[in-house]
Amino acid sequence: MSIVVLLLGIPLVGGAVLGLIGHRNAAMEVNVGFSLATFVAACVLTAGVITDGPQLFWQEAFYIDALNVFLVALTAFVGLTTAIFSGPYMRVERDHGKMTPPRLRLYHSMYQVFSFTMLLALTTNNMGILWVAMEGATLATVLLVSVYRTAASLEAAWKYFILCGVGIAQALFGTVLLYMAAEPVIATEGGALLWSHLDAAKAQLDPRIIAIAFAFLFIGYGTKVGLVPVHNWLPDAHAEGPTPVSAVLSGLLLNVALYAVLRFKVLTDGALHGSVLTGRMLMGFGLASVVAAAFLLSRQRDVKRMFAYSSIEHMGLMTFAFGLGGPVATFAGLLHMTVHSLVKSAIFFAVGHAAQKAGTQVMSEIRGLITISPTVAWGLMLGSLAILGMPPFGVFASEFLIITTAMREQPWATPLLLVALGVAFASVFSRVQPMVFGDTQLKRLAHPPALIPVFVHLALGLLLGLYIPPALDAWYREAARMIGG
């Protein structure tokens, strides 16, 4: 049996099983078990690609190369650690009456379905199936965001559904235009939307149609990335959904949407024989996202909304890096995708426990975490310093490479980036510091929460700031070459 079938089949079966038993006490362990099996399958697939290079599976239905294989491994890993965090978190939510048995079944089943759609989007060779997978991810996360069934969560889910629905419709039209440009060139029956065929024939595609197609595809998938001005769904979805959902939204969904943009960027650059159009669009929207999100950070009162705007800022920085192009900036963008996923999900793990202990997500009412729970406090503080770009964490390394490349290639953008990063640092640190070290009347927890996923993620983020393993470095370099560096 193909390893890709296992990779996709495990979470799909998991969704069906947990749809039946997701309310039982053992459901949380079953969720972790399916996520662990998915991660093992991802590791086996990764090892095969490292050994044998890019691979096609199932009569060209799936294509794995350096660009998507490391994202497959990252997606499966963050899915596993979030499932581990989700167990004790959801037990507390159940004990507080926020999660009923039907809601637990829905949550656990949609968690696995979401993992399936993310992995399908990453591994498919068909750009049409990529669109279907992204639409499936939207539907799964709409149900996850609304699982509490409060007025605020239903409003957030509705806003998410409408805005991302409009965006994904733009992406569908762009996909149709891509097929229109490819069909006369690629004569193979049913192969006009296969990435492997499109990449080989990209220089022959009609540049006028492809330019229009990329505009629609970029706006469509850019909505899922959370780029300004089509970002409004993201803070509400993070604030009102369960914290594990916030972790996978920031750590996985945004990355996969940006991956889709990069696939189409490669085709557009090939058809237009240059990266001027795509580079300017990515730099423009990316820089606007960095600046707008940095200043909006200072206005937030809800801790999860604040870190949601931080995700918009960092996705904008990645988009800007890929727009800059070149081997260094593209390498930095890929590194930033990795460390942001690890660190931001760790932050949401810590924030989830902190909000549960305080009974609120309002930052002014969360104080003295170092007294209540030192592990939560240090997880939140270290995660915040890491995401703000303090050395020697990996975020500092990627941001340093992006900014130094911008100084050389686009010096006009450098002051804007530096001001935005400075404002973001001041806004986040000034809120997190009293949450951790402020005075509190609450007593210390009798039993410290299990936060192994937080410190595992932060340790990996630190490692990538000090040393990049050769295999990962080779992935980044090969992926950067494919994207156009």
Side-chain angles (χ1 to χ4, degrees):
M1 183 181 295
S2 170
I3 188 61
V4 173
V5 175
L6 282 177
L7 178 72
L8 300 176
I10 290 169
L12 193 59
V13 172
V17 170
L18 288 166
L20 298 174
I21 66 166
H23 63 291
R24 298 182 180 176
N25 289 331
M28 297 158 192
E29 287 73 22
V30 173
N31 190 37
V32 172
F34 277 110
S35 298
L36 176 60
T38 302
F39 177 62
V40 171
C43 291
V44 173
L45 177 64
T46 300
V49 173
I50 291 174
T51 303
D52 303 324
Q55 299 180 31
L56 285 164
F57 296 92
W58 262 37
Q59 298 181 343
E60 300 186 322
F62 301 100
Y63 180 66
I64 314 296
D65 60 12
L67 178 56
N68 59 9
V69 71
F70 90 88
L71 286 173
V72 167
L74 179 64
T75 297
F77 176 73
V78 174
L80 170 61
T81 55
T82 305
I84 294 171
F85 160 76
S86 173
Y89 181 89
M90 281 302 171
R91 285 193 178 95
V92 174
E93 297 292 90
R94 181 191 61 192
D95 294 344
H96 289 171
K98 297 179 72 173
M99 293 298 290
T100 62
R103 293 176 190 174
L104 282 170
R105 285 198 301 271
L106 177 65
Y107 169 78
H108 286 119
S109 62
M110 286 301 104
Y111 185 90
Q112 290 296 323
V113 170
F114 173 76
S115 297
F116 164 74
T117 55
M118 290 294 90
L119 293 169
L120 177 61
L122 289 171
T123 56
T124 183
N125 191 29
N126 190 305
M127 298 297 97
I129 300 299
L130 170 62
W131 180 89
V132 172
M134 292 301 296
E135 178 68 4
T138 300
L139 297 176
T141 44
V142 163
L143 295 173
L144 288 169
V145 169
S146 66
V147 73
Y148 287 141
R149 293 297 187 269
T150 62
S153 67
L154 291 171
E155 180 185 354
W158 180 249
K159 181 186 289 188
Y160 174 37
F161 177 73
I162 293 299
L163 290 177
C164 288
V166 172
I168 210 73
Q170 308 301 310
L172 176 61
F173 185 64
T175 304
V176 171
L177 289 176
L178 176 65
Y179 179 83
M180 179 179 170
E183 199 275 334
V185 177
I186 302 173
T188 305
E189 183 177 351
L193 283 179
L194 295 181
W195 162 260
S196 53
H197 295 184
L198 288 164
D199 187 44
K202 59 189 176 185
Q204 304 172 47
L205 301 178
D206 190 324
R208 295 166 299 177
I209 298 176
I210 291 297
I212 299 172
F214 181 77
F216 280 98
L217 289 161
F218 179 69
I219 296 299
Y221 289 117
T223 304
K224 303 284 286 186
V225 176
L227 298 177
V228 171
V230 285
H231 67 286
N232 304 78
W233 65 270
L234 198 151
D236 289 344
H238 279 67
E240 302 303 333
T243 301
V245 176
S246 301
V248 293
L249 280 175
S250 274
L252 303 182
L253 180 64
L254 306 187
N255 271 2
V256 176
L258 185 55
Y259 160 82
V261 172
L262 295 178
R263 283 293 192 194
F264 292 112
K265 176 186 183 298
V266 172
L267 298 179
T268 306
D269 290 347
L272 300 182
H273 305 288
S275 59
V276 174
L277 172 68
T278 60
R280 288 178 177 175
M281 289 184 68
L282 266 65
M283 281 193 293
F285 279 90
L287 188 59
S289 300
V290 173
V291 174
F295 283 93
L296 288 170
L297 275 169
S298 62
R299 302 176 56 188
Q300 304 310 310
R301 299 294 178 265
D302 183 294
V303 63
K304 287 172 69 177
R305 288 183 68 90
M306 181 180 73
F307 283 113
Y309 277 103
S310 172
S311 292
I312 295 171
E313 175 205 4
H314 285 279
M315 296 311 296
L317 192 61
M318 295 173 214
T319 305
F320 178 82
F322 291 123
L324 274 177
V328 177
T330 306
F331 183 100
L334 294 168
L335 176 61
H336 204 78
M337 289 176 78
T338 308
V339 291
H340 175 261
S341 291
L342 293 169
V343 173
K344 186 56 66 63
S345 53
I347 289 173
F348 277 115
F349 296 161
V351 164
H353 279 302
Q356 277 188 335
K357 306 314 172 189
T360 179
Q361 294 176 190
V362 179
M363 287 180 281
S364 61
E365 298 179 20
I366 304 174
R367 289 291 184 268
L369 290 174
I370 196 70
T371 300
I372 303 170
S373 176
T375 52
V376 171
W378 284 113
L380 179 57
M381 177 55 72
L382 292 174
S384 299
L385 291 174
I387 206 65
L388 291 172
M390 288 293 289
F393 287 97
V395 175
F396 169 78
S398 57
E399 287 184 350
F400 179 81
L401 291 174
I402 293 169
I403 291 172
T404 52
T405 305
M407 287 179 180
R408 184 180 68 250
E409 302 294 338
Q410 302 291 340
W412 60 271
T414 307
L416 296 174
L417 288 173
L418 292 174
V419 169
L421 293 175
V423 169
F425 186 98
S427 300
V428 174
F429 189 76
S430 65
R431 304 296 177 81
V432 171
Q433 193 274 339
M435 290 172 63
V436 173
F437 298 109
D439 294 328
T440 181
Q441 301 299 318
L442 298 177
K443 295 181 180 179
R444 183 169 180 170
L445 295 175
H447 303 285
L451 286 176
I452 292 176
V454 173
F455 294 104
V456 169
H457 282 214
L458 293 178
L460 290 173
L462 178 63
L463 172 65
L464 292 176
L466 299 171
Y467 170 75
I468 299 177
L472 187 58
D473 178 72
W475 291 348
Y476 288 156
R477 291 178 184 274
E478 179 62 19
R481 184 195 62 78
M482 291 173 54
I483 294 169

